[in-house]
Amino acid sequence: MNQLREDILSGALQPGERLIEEQLTRRFGISRAPLREALRLLDEQGLVEHLPRRGVRVAQLSERDVDELFGLRDVLEQYAVSLFTPLAEGTHVGDLEDALKAMDVAARKGDLREENDAHCRFHIAMVALAGQRHLLLAYRPVIHKLQLYMAANLRREVEHVGDPGDGVRRHRKLFDAVVSQDAPTVLAALASHGARTYIG
């Protein structure tokens, strides 16, 4: 599944492209059962979609889909912030810090797939600080569906901005805001960290 996922997030497989089981089983040297399990997991992550009687294709988000998903992400993250600020005594931000470090390492190496994964982990870790299981259950599918769009946008950012560390700096500012434990500071950092401009 990792190679197929990487092909999707790298743009080697384009949104809307059909995934034909026979071709994939030959390419990866596996039987249909593990391939179908991999496709099921990729479907859960929002990277592929099953179409009745038409098979499987790389997920394709319309402009409206993306806008709705970002709207949901914004609302859920703002709600999480209202729950976790100020941070309760003894709250650890290790997962958030680890994701930020992984983003930095990936950006320096030019590994856009790993940077995108670390970006996703960063946002999940931030929402997890709220300590609400059902909030996380609602949030994960949203951020996973946006991963495909974020991966494409990371590629555009590197091409046009030319600064692989820019996204890391924006997230470090957000991390510092979370550690500050001041809700207005975190919300301001969220609003300005480029979610709709650079999808970060």
Side-chain angles (χ1 to χ4, degrees):
M1 182 184 83
N2 286 339
Q3 184 57 54
L4 185 55
R5 186 170 181 273
E6 186 167 341
D7 287 349
I8 292 170
L9 292 176
S10 70
L13 292 170
Q14 292 293 309
E17 187 171 338
R18 284 192 64 210
L19 300 175
I20 300 169
E21 284 191 5
E22 292 80 3
Q23 293 176 358
L24 293 174
T25 53
R26 282 199 304 271
R27 178 183 168 197
F28 296 121
I30 58 175
S31 65
R32 287 179 182 246
L35 175 65
R36 287 177 176 168
E37 176 62 13
L39 291 172
R40 184 188 68 77
L41 292 171
L42 290 170
D43 188 10
E44 285 181 2
Q45 295 174 12
L47 297 180
V48 304
E49 50 195 7
H50 288 77
L51 304 174
R53 297 180 297 282
R54 287 185 290 168
V56 182
R57 71 177 184 185
V58 178
Q60 192 168 24
L61 297 175
S62 68
E63 195 172 317
R64 180 173 179 175
D65 290 332
V66 172
D67 192 54
E68 287 180 7
L69 287 167
F70 273 115
L72 276 171
R73 188 182 88 160
D74 291 348
V75 168
L76 293 171
E77 288 182 347
Q78 290 164 16
Y79 177 57
V81 169
S82 75
L83 293 173
F84 73 64
T85 50
L87 292 171
E89 187 175 342
T91 299
H92 297 289
V93 294
D95 288 345
L96 197 64
E97 190 170 19
D98 288 346
L100 181 61
K101 288 176 181 175
M103 281 181 69
D104 188 27
V105 170
R108 291 175 192 274
K109 291 192 304 185
D111 187 339
L112 296 182
R113 183 192 61 78
E114 177 54 33
E115 186 179 354
N116 188 30
D117 282 351
H119 168 271
C120 188
R121 293 197 304 274
F122 180 94
H123 282 265
I124 289 172
M126 183 183 68
V127 171
L129 291 173
Q132 298 278 326
R133 185 172 71 90
H134 289 286
L135 173 58
L136 261 183
L137 286 173
Y139 182 76
R140 283 179 189 274
V142 174
I143 197 74
H144 283 146
K145 285 177 183 176
L146 282 171
Q147 249 193 310
L148 183 60
Y149 191 75
M150 291 173 188
N153 218 38
L154 272 175
R155 292 193 297 274
R156 288 194 295 270
E157 182 176 339
V158 169
E159 290 169 10
H160 298 295
V161 178
D163 182 359
D166 190 55
V168 177
R169 283 191 294 275
R170 293 195 308 271
H171 284 80
R172 183 167 290 117
K173 182 178 178 181
L174 182 52
F175 174 81
D176 290 342
V178 170
V179 174
S180 79
Q181 305 198 43
D182 180 65
T185 301
V186 180
L187 293 173
L190 270 176
S192 65
H193 93 299
R196 307 245 178 174
T197 304
Y198 294 119
I199 319 306

